[in-house]
Amino acid sequence: MLHLLSAFAAAPAWDFVQGSYVITDFDESDFSYEPDGFAFSASKLLTDDVFVTGEYSMQEDDILGIDVDLDMLTLGLGYRYALSQRTDLFGIVSYEDVELSGSGQSADEDGFGLQAGVRSMILDNLELRGAIKYIDLDEDDDTSVLVGADYFFSPMFAVGVSYETSDDLSTFGFNARYNF
């Protein structure tokens, strides 16, 4: 039993796969566009401190009877610094791709992202995280704040919530995670 409790008290896990249900609200839109759908993400340590990460989300909503899809891809390389046994600071440099499509038309922009944040196991089975993210696409840039929490049923399985907000949009997510 003591071994199981010490496993919960470990630092945030960086080797995981995650599935999420996400809802996005475009704040500056002249029309009501609130797509929802699924996101899949993963992270893998390459060394004790360097990791790769990626996320792909597929969302959709109807605008005036037309199905409009929002697809987003993030591929990144990150570095983590153990501030304490339970808390990591991190930074990520990423490639970003956003595509909006519907009714035979599509608009696609790509660019880069920068993210800095903190992840902490505040309790043996509860992780909190927060970050600031900057994205620079072909014709647009945006800065957002991200917060989230994950509850661990075991060292391998967790469920959580996340929220990201910027001037242009807000995204809320429910996730299930498997650490390996």
Side-chain angles (χ1 to χ4, degrees):
M1 181 73 168
L2 184 59
H3 174 68
L4 180 61
L5 290 177
S6 67
F8 268 88
W14 291 93
D15 294 333
F16 66 84
V17 292
Q18 178 172 292
S20 305
Y21 171 72
V22 291
I23 304 164
T24 300
D25 178 23
F26 283 83
D27 302 328
E28 297 286 325
S29 177
D30 293 336
F31 46 85
S32 176
Y33 183 57
E34 295 181 6
D36 66 340
F38 297 96
F40 303 96
S41 57
S43 174
K44 174 70 176 131
L45 282 170
L46 300 176
T47 69
D48 287 342
D49 299 318
V50 176
F51 62 94
V52 292
T53 185
E55 181 174 11
Y56 181 69
S57 70
M58 304 164 289
Q59 300 175 61
E60 66 179 353
D61 191 16
D62 289 333
I63 299 175
L64 304 173
I66 299 171
D67 185 33
V68 179
D69 296 329
L70 172 65
D71 297 325
M72 295 184 285
L73 172 70
T74 298
L75 298 172
L77 182 65
Y79 182 82
R80 64 171 279 280
Y81 174 77
L83 190 61
S84 71
Q85 180 183 3
R86 297 181 137 213
T87 302
D88 288 351
L89 300 177
F90 68 91
I92 300 172
V93 176
S94 59
Y95 166 77
E96 304 286 335
D97 185 65
V98 177
E99 181 179 5
L100 193 63
S101 61
S103 186
Q105 305 290 324
S106 79
D108 187 18
E109 290 190 21
D110 64 349
F112 72 93
L114 300 171
Q115 184 174 340
V118 61
R119 293 177 56 191
S120 184
M121 296 297 297
I122 64 161
L123 298 174
D124 289 342
N125 58 351
L126 182 64
E127 177 185 325
L128 294 183
R129 62 187 179 280
I132 296 175
K133 184 175 184 179
Y134 171 76
I135 295 178
D136 189 333
L137 300 173
D138 294 333
E139 297 181 23
D140 196 17
D141 65 334
D142 201 13
T143 301
S144 59
V145 175
L146 298 87
V147 293
D150 291 302
Y151 176 81
F152 288 83
F153 294 102
S154 75
M156 293 188 327
F157 296 102
V159 294
V161 295
S162 64
Y163 180 71
E164 178 177 356
T165 186
S166 71
D167 287 340
D168 297 334
L169 56 92
S170 300
T171 301
F172 186 74
F174 300 98
N175 61 275
R177 175 184 291 183
Y178 173 73
N179 294 326
F180 55 90

